[in-house]
């Protein structure tokens, strides 16, 4: 007998904090209980309660091919049969690294780690080592994993004093974390004017996908590249979401901008826990054992994980990104018409196979804009759509993800259901 989601959640809360292993999964922001998932296939995810949903979360991004893609599953099973971990090099590590280097114009060498968090943390350490400087600039509303130095929040004031965003992070750890709003190039210039000589790096999501979805305004990324070059700071693109999603070669290919370092995760593991960071060889050679910057990992380059990543990227090479983007564009335009007919103000930001729906008037260009949207209405929309068989991210600050397995019928059914949403 399988227990129902409700009963599993009750029992999980007794032995796991909040009943979940990552906070947003608890569905608190949308006033719902989490579904416990039994299995997934293609664009569908199935709960232990026996209900199927069209999945627009995709494990928060990794499953760009859809769930349980046969080629990825075969690679994973084959690797698992040969042993889960050796703590010694295996061939697929090399083949995955080669795929990353060939795909990403700004990545000459790459080091595998186990999560996006680890990758961002290690890239920052490397940037600090290469420049001999302590500070870095990040943008409000961008997420770079949960390593201490990234967990700073500040008021809207540019370069305001950084305060830890969570208990457990001492003020000293975020004292060198400088903040400015996304898309605010003037703000970034002011930070550099004040602290330029201290700034090791600027880290940015080239398309911000952790405050809903916010696209870079024209000139923003180019301006950051220029600022970094002028000040001897490294530009770090956090492509954990955008890598292999906004284009096979990531945002750096889509926008034609070369960061110094690139942070990767999610899709490159095909659903297994993987991250990576890479960049110019002159920087990457500073990492131990070729250089003096320490970074290690017992399970880094884990054989089943790199096999799944390799199979995913090799399969993506044959996928039609332009066709998927067009499908998402048409779908979003259709949704805009549906909500306009209802007189409900919405802003739908989209990029490639991602879209975010904000219940708000006008454009959303930064975190303040995203935060101004109607979160209550979003929560009602989430619950309504879940009741109709659509699995959306349980927070207004997450982007919806689409996969190559999503069919025309999935989009049509979503639009049909959205038409019935009362508001
Ligand atoms: C998910 C994410 C991370 C963190 O990756 P984890 O694997 O969850 O540690 C870092 N940066 C961005 C942009 C992400 O979306």
């Amino acid at each position: 007998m399988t227990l129902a989601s409700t009963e599993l959640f009750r029992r999980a809360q007794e032995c796991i904090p909040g009943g979940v292993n990552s906070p947003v999964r608890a569905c608190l922001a949308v006033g719902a209980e989490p579904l416990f998932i039994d299995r997934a296939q293609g664009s569908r995810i199935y709960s232990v309660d026996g209900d199927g949903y069209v999945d627009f979360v995709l494990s928060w991004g990794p499953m760009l091919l859809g769930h349980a893609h046969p080629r990825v599953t075969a690679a994973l099973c084959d690797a698992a049969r040969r042993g889960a971990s050796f703590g010694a090099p295996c061939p697929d590590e090399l083949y995955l690294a080669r795929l990353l280097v060939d795909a990403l114009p700004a990545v000459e060498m790459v080091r595998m780690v186990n999560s996006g968090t680890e990758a961002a943390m290690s890239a920052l350490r490397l940037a600090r080592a290469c420049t001999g400087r302590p500070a870095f600039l990040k943008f409000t509303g961008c997420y770079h994993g949960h390593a201490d130095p990234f967990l700073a929040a500040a008021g809207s004031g540019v370069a305001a004093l950084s305060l830890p965003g969570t208990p457990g992070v001492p003020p000293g750890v975020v004292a060198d974390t400088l903040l400015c709003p996304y898309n605010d190039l003037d703000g970034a210039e002011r930070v550099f004017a004040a602290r330029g000589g201290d700034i090791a790096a600027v880290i940015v999501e080239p398309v911000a996908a952790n405050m809903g979805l916010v696209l870079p305004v024209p000139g923003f990324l180019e301006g950051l590249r220029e600022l970094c070059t002028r000040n001897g700071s490294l530009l770090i693109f956090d492509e954990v979401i955008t890598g292999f999603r906004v284009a096979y070669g990531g945002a750096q290919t889509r926008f034609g901008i070369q960061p110094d370092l690139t942070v990767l995760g999610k899709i490159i593991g095909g659903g297994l826990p993987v991250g990576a960071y890479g960049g110019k060889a002159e920087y990457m050679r500073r990492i131990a054992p070729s250089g003096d910057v320490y970074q290690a990992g017992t399970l880094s380059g884990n054989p089943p994980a790199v096999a799944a990543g390799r199979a995913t990227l090799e399969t993506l090479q044959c996928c039609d990104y332009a066709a998927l983007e067009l499908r998402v564009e048409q779908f979003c335009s259709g949704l805009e018409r549906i909500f306009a007919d209802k007189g409900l103000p919405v802003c739908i930001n989209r990029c490639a196979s991602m879209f975010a729906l904000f219940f708000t008037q006008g454009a959303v260009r930064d975190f303040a804009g995203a935060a101004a949207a109607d979160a209550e209405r979003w929560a009602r929309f989430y619950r309504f759509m879940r009741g109709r068989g659509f699995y959306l991210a349980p927070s207004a600050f997450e982007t919806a993800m689409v996969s190559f397995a999503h069919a025309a019928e999935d989009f049509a059914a979503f639009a049909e259901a959205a038409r019935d949403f009362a508001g």
Side-chain angles (χ1 to χ4, degrees):
M1 188 203 67
T2 320
L3 296 172
S5 286
T6 308
E7 176 60 13
L8 288 167
F9 188 48
R10 193 188 65 73
R11 294 192 189 187
Q13 284 170 290
E14 292 170 1
C15 54
I16 302 172
V20 291
N21 284 313
S22 196
V24 74
R25 293 180 201 170
C27 298
L28 291 171
V30 290
E33 282 197 352
L35 296 172
F36 277 63
I37 304 304
D38 175 51
R39 72 202 151 85
Q41 180 69 58
S43 66
R44 309 265 156 168
I45 194 162
Y46 299 88
S47 74
V48 294
D49 314 289
D51 301 319
Y53 299 83
V54 182
D55 184 13
F56 288 91
V57 180
L58 299 174
S59 188
W60 307 91
M63 315 313 295
L64 178 55
L65 291 171
H67 292 285
H69 188 283
R71 190 161 164 193
V72 179
T73 305
L76 188 50
C77 292
D78 181 54
R81 258 183 237 109
R82 283 181 284 123
S85 187
F86 315 130
C90 74
D92 274 340
E93 290 177 82
L94 161 66
Y95 299 135
L96 179 56
R98 194 72 246 172
L99 284 164
L100 296 173
V101 167
D102 288 345
L104 301 160
V107 175
E108 293 171 0
M109 296 182 87
V110 66
R111 168 61 65 83
M112 303 301 305
V113 293
N114 303 292
S115 68
T117 294
E118 242 187 275
M121 176 186 92
S122 308
L124 177 62
R125 180 184 304 145
L126 179 60
R128 284 170 156 168
C130 289
T131 57
R133 300 175 181 180
F136 72 101
L137 173 63
K138 78 175 278 282
F139 297 92
T140 314
C142 281
Y143 181 64
H144 304 295
H146 67 92
D148 285 356
F150 298 108
L151 294 180
S156 51
V158 168
L161 187 68
S162 295
L163 298 171
T166 170
V169 176
V173 173
V174 291
D176 291 311
T177 305
L178 310 173
L179 285 141
C180 129
Y182 194 75
N183 274 330
D184 182 2
L185 189 57
D186 291 342
E189 279 179 8
R190 284 195 295 276
V191 173
F192 268 92
R195 294 283 301 270
D198 288 344
I199 299 177
V202 173
I203 186 165
V204 66
E205 287 183 73
V207 178
N210 285 285
M211 45 175 147
L213 184 71
V214 176
L215 279 75
V217 297
F220 177 59
L221 297 175
E222 292 81 353
L224 294 181
R225 175 64 278 178
E226 218 272 312
L227 256 183
C228 286
T229 305
R230 194 156 20 101
N231 288 277
S233 307
L234 305 195
L235 179 62
I236 306 175
F237 271 10
D238 182 341
E239 296 228 41
V240 170
I241 285 186
T242 56
F244 299 90
R245 182 172 286 277
V246 301
Y248 181 77
Q252 53 197 257
T253 299
R254 189 178 175 107
F255 298 112
I257 294 168
Q258 297 253 333
D260 298 293
L261 297 175
T262 300
V263 177
L264 297 161
K266 298 196 169 111
I267 288 172
I268 66 159
L272 276 87
V274 166
Y277 64 108
K280 295 203 174 96
E282 62 171 300
Y283 302 129
M284 295 304 291
R285 284 193 215 283
R286 283 291 300 271
I287 299 163
S290 58
D292 55 352
V293 180
Y294 189 70
Q295 184 270 307
T298 302
L299 294 176
S300 293
N302 173 256
V306 290
R310 177 188 176 193
T312 297
L313 299 196
E314 284 174 348
T315 308
L316 284 174
Q317 284 177 336
C318 312
C319 287
D320 189 343
Y321 280 73
L324 183 58
E325 178 153 2
L326 182 63
R327 186 174 272 180
V328 171
E329 176 54 39
Q330 289 167 344
F331 166 66
C332 289
S333 313
L335 280 183
E336 278 170 343
R337 283 193 297 275
I338 287 169
F339 285 108
D341 288 348
K342 292 173 178 296
L344 280 184
V346 314
C347 162
I348 304 178
N349 287 349
R350 58 264 206 178
C351 183
S353 50
M354 296 185 280
F355 68 93
L357 197 153
F358 301 95
F359 289 109
T360 188
Q361 214 112 39
V364 176
R365 292 167 28 125
D366 55 19
F367 184 74
D374 187 340
E376 282 302 311
R377 180 167 283 155
W378 168 264
R380 287 197 298 278
F381 184 65
Y382 170 89
R383 296 194 300 264
F384 175 81
M385 293 305 282
R386 196 164 110 176
R388 297 285 291 256
F390 299 91
Y391 191 74
L392 288 163
S395 158
F397 292 107
E398 304 288 349
T399 182
M401 301 282 184
V402 172
S403 79
F404 284 105
H406 282 66
E409 305 84 74
D410 294 328
F411 294 108
F414 186 101
E416 204 50 50
R419 216 181 281 282
D420 294 337
F421 177 56

